[in-house]
Amino acid sequence: KNEVEQSPQNLTAQEGEFITINCSYSVGISALHWLQQHPGGGIVSLFMLSSGKKKHGRLIATINIQEKHSSLHITASHPRDSAVYICAVTVNTGNQFYFGTGTSLTVIP
Amino acid sequence: NAGVMQNPRHLVRRRGQEARLRCSPMKGHSHVYWYRQLPEEGLKFMVYLQKENIIDESGMPKERFSAEFPKEGPSILRIQQVVRGDSAAYFCASSKGTSHYEQYFGPGTRLTVT
């Protein structure tokens, strides 16, 4: 079993839809990260969370430490949001990063 | 302020050759992480280095792989005697401090072993 599980694996949405990607983890963490990997392969860090909620533009990330769960929301989705979204956690017992397998999002105009 | 730089962006090696991948961290960052992304798979942690020190190499294969981050110059990931299974995208990331700090990723090096 992976330390980090994401759902769904693939997601197709119409432009303008509200999108939610979920992440569950099974290890003790010091932080959770949401990353975006573009079709060309580059990786951008979107959020780093240890509690609560963060917002940046149309993106919102939340984390529930007790339930070991995080969600990434995209409001008013746009075709340029099409990418792979990756959840990763930093374990609190060391320096290890554990990654989810990613959610491939396609937003159709 | 330049971001994390990796070179080369694409590298083709024949089986048995050596591959050297370079990573220059962001200015002011003294911590470097290397990750590997095999085709159709997720990212996997390989090694975490500070200047002149390997802090955690628990994700690195025991043989043929080594990493360094010298006092001067970029971090180097070295793969000796490459095999086809080494074909992957190798990403490095840098941060100001420990894993509690945000990491900034480079564009990756895509290694193809023929």
Side-chain angles (χ1 to χ4, degrees), chain A residues 1-11 21-25 33-37 43 83-89 97-105, chain B residues 36-44:
Chain A
K1 186 182 183 298
N2 290 336
E3 291 83 2
V4 181
E5 300 278 356
Q6 280 185 243
S7 64
Q9 278 194 319
N10 297 285
L11 182 56
I21 299 170
N22 294 300
C23 174
S24 297
Y25 54 92
H33 308 254
W34 282 102
L35 311 172
Q36 181 191 53
Q37 187 167 26
I43 297 172
V84 175
Y85 292 83
I86 302 168
C87 173
V89 299
F97 243 55
Y98 290 112
F99 295 87
T101 52
T103 294
S104 179
L105 171 66
Chain B
R36 178 164 67 173
Q37 188 173 40
L38 293 166
E40 307 303 320
E41 291 188 21
L43 287 156
K44 293 277 194 272

Side-chain angles (χ1 to χ4, degrees), chain B residues 48-73:
Chain B
Y48 164 41
L49 310 106
Q50 292 181 30
K51 285 280 185 182
E52 299 185 278
N53 286 306
I54 297 173
I55 306 301
D56 183 345
E57 56 182 349
S58 58
M60 197 104 98
K62 295 286 184 284
E63 297 178 353
R64 301 188 298 108
F65 285 72
S66 62
E68 63 177 14
F69 188 15
K71 188 176 178 182
E72 301 290 338

Side-chain angles (χ1 to χ4, degrees), chain A residues 76-107:
Chain A
S77 59
H78 190 275
R80 65 173 174 265
D81 296 327
S82 298
V84 175
Y85 292 83
I86 302 168
C87 173
V89 299
T90 313
V91 297
N92 56 12
T93 54
N95 305 295
Q96 273 273 10
F97 243 55
Y98 290 112
F99 295 87
T101 52
T103 294
S104 179
L105 171 66
T106 302
V107 181

Side-chain angles (χ1 to χ4, degrees), chain B residues 3-113:
Chain B
V4 179
M5 296 169 66
Q6 288 187 250
N7 67 80
R9 295 291 305 276
H10 300 272
L11 181 61
V12 179
R13 284 287 177 266
R14 290 200 178 120
R15 277 181 299 171
Q17 290 186 320
E18 179 178 288
R20 281 187 177 233
L21 288 62
R22 293 173 186 78
C23 170
S24 296
M26 283 182 69
K27 189 176 180 181
H29 288 190
S30 58
H31 297 245
V32 165
Y33 302 78
W34 285 95
Y35 302 98
R36 178 164 67 173
Q37 188 173 40
L38 293 166
E40 307 303 320
E41 291 188 21
L43 287 156
K44 293 277 194 272
F45 167 82
M46 297 183 76
V47 62
Y48 164 41
L49 310 106
Q50 292 181 30
K51 285 280 185 182
E52 299 185 278
N53 286 306
I54 297 173
I55 306 301
D56 183 345
E57 56 182 349
S58 58
M60 197 104 98
K62 295 286 184 284
E63 297 178 353
R64 301 188 298 108
F65 285 72
S66 62
E68 63 177 14
F69 188 15
K71 188 176 178 182
E72 301 290 338
S75 175
I76 307 280
L77 180 67
R78 184 179 175 211
I79 312 172
Q80 295 178 289
Q81 299 174 327
V82 294
V83 300
R84 288 228 173 100
D86 297 332
S87 295
Y90 292 83
F91 290 93
C92 90
S94 73
S95 70
K96 284 185 182 179
T98 68
S99 52
H100 304 278
Y101 285 78
E102 190 160 2
Q103 295 186 15
Y104 295 83
F105 284 79
T109 293
R110 274 144 192 85
L111 172 66
T112 303
V113 179

